[in-house]
Amino acid sequence: MLELYGTEIPSRLLLGTARYPSPAMLAESVKRSQTGIVTVSLRRETAGGRNGGAFFEMIRELGVRVLPNTAGCHGVSEAVLTAKMAREVFRTNWIKLEVIGNHDTLQPDVFALVEAARILSDEGFEVFPYTTDDLIVAERLLDAGCQVLMPWCAPIGTAAGPLNLSALRSMRAHFPDVPLIVDAGIGRPSHAAIVMELGFDAVLLNTAVAGAGDPAAMAEAFAKAIDAGRQAFGAGMLEPRDMAVPSTPVIGKAVFS
């Protein structure tokens, strides 16, 4: 079972709650995904005069753990303030920390990310940092107090799938005992299976499910792919070979002269 900050989570799929066609479809997607955690952006849901209170109440009624995030923040002070507001609203010390540094790629500002992570960890938050696949940044985040890392596999919302498998493999090998959750860029269930086969602990999705023709069916498909990838990793997979190897043994084969 997945354990994050001392809490056991029944599913290895974390689901975002933005951009669904309707609240009913969001609820059905959460149900069919069997997720134990949903992410919620305090900033997005309260911006532009939205009825954030009603939305947050609906999220609570889903009966899953809420992971608030700081989506849309572009600086340390902004992210820290948003995290504190989210703690008041959702009564949780968990926070998915996003500090965006580039408007086009939505790549995190890793310098600000580490600084914000240190501040929030010192104030009792349990931080889930959205980061790159850079090992040095990962080490700095762990030094700052993070016990979970959330590397991207491609820019947010691109659905491009894992662009740098070597980097993801290196991260898994370098941090064997740290929970690693792939966040951002996954577009298909096969992408999720690939990263789970590398030994990652979980996957966080939003756009790939919310933007599907049938979000609930897609959420279920991702849940199955993640389970399959995790089971395959645990079973021990064959590595690629340079030469063909027959599956039928040749020893004892009849010889005709």
Side-chain angles (χ1 to χ4, degrees):
M1 183 172 287
L2 178 63
E3 184 173 313
L4 304 171
Y5 285 104
T7 299
E8 292 188 342
I9 306 298
S11 170
R12 294 179 183 272
L13 169 58
L14 288 69
L15 199 61
T17 57
R19 303 194 177 196
Y20 285 79
S22 68
M25 183 56 71
L26 167 59
E28 182 65 17
S29 298
V30 170
K31 178 181 177 181
R32 290 181 63 176
S33 72
Q34 298 185 334
T35 183
I37 300 174
V38 297
T39 63
V40 179
S41 170
L42 180 74
R43 182 186 180 95
R44 284 177 181 159
E45 295 304 328
T46 57
R50 284 183 169 184
N51 188 6
F55 176 80
F56 297 149
E57 185 58 34
M58 182 203 69
I59 294 297
R60 291 190 186 95
E61 291 174 356
L62 293 176
V64 294
R65 180 132 190 174
V66 173
L67 174 60
N69 69 37
T70 62
C73 293
H74 289 78
V76 174
S77 59
E78 186 180 20
V80 169
L81 178 59
T82 301
K84 291 179 178 180
M85 293 170 62
R87 179 159 62 179
E88 291 298 316
V89 171
F90 293 105
R91 300 292 189 265
T92 178
N93 287 325
W94 279 19
I95 191 72
K96 179 191 170 188
L97 180 60
E98 296 183 29
V99 187
I100 301 302
N102 184 283
H103 291 283
D104 294 327
T105 65
L106 300 180
Q107 179 171 331
D109 178 340
V110 295
F111 304 101
L113 180 68
V114 171
E115 183 179 350
R118 190 178 303 280
I119 293 170
L120 292 172
S121 294
D122 288 345
E123 296 196 17
F125 282 89
E126 296 172 325
V127 180
F128 295 68
Y130 162 60
T131 183
T132 64
D133 52 23
D134 186 280
L135 297 181
I136 304 304
V137 174
E139 289 177 346
R140 297 294 183 269
L141 287 167
L142 295 175
D143 290 343
C146 300
Q147 297 179 25
V148 176
L149 298 173
M150 303 182 73
W152 70 349
C153 72
I156 293 174
T158 60
L163 297 181
N164 193 338
L165 285 173
S166 294
L168 292 175
R169 284 193 187 95
S170 295
M171 178 167 275
R172 179 69 285 175
H174 199 74
F175 303 106
D177 300 321
V178 177
L180 300 179
I181 303 171
V182 173
D183 177 21
I186 287 179
R188 301 184 178 192
S190 57
H191 296 159
I194 287 170
V195 298
M196 293 302 292
E197 287 173 358
L198 295 178
F200 280 79
D201 297 285
V203 170
L204 194 158
L205 301 162
N206 191 162
T207 307
V209 172
D214 185 340
M218 186 61 75
E220 184 176 348
F222 268 108
K224 291 177 178 178
I226 289 167
D227 285 346
R230 182 67 183 182
Q231 185 172 349
F233 171 74
M237 295 173 293
L238 287 177
E239 294 300 320
R241 297 165 172 169
D242 293 330
M243 298 178 61
V245 179
S247 57
T248 301
V250 295
I251 298 176
K253 174 182 171 182
V255 178
F256 299 93
S257 58

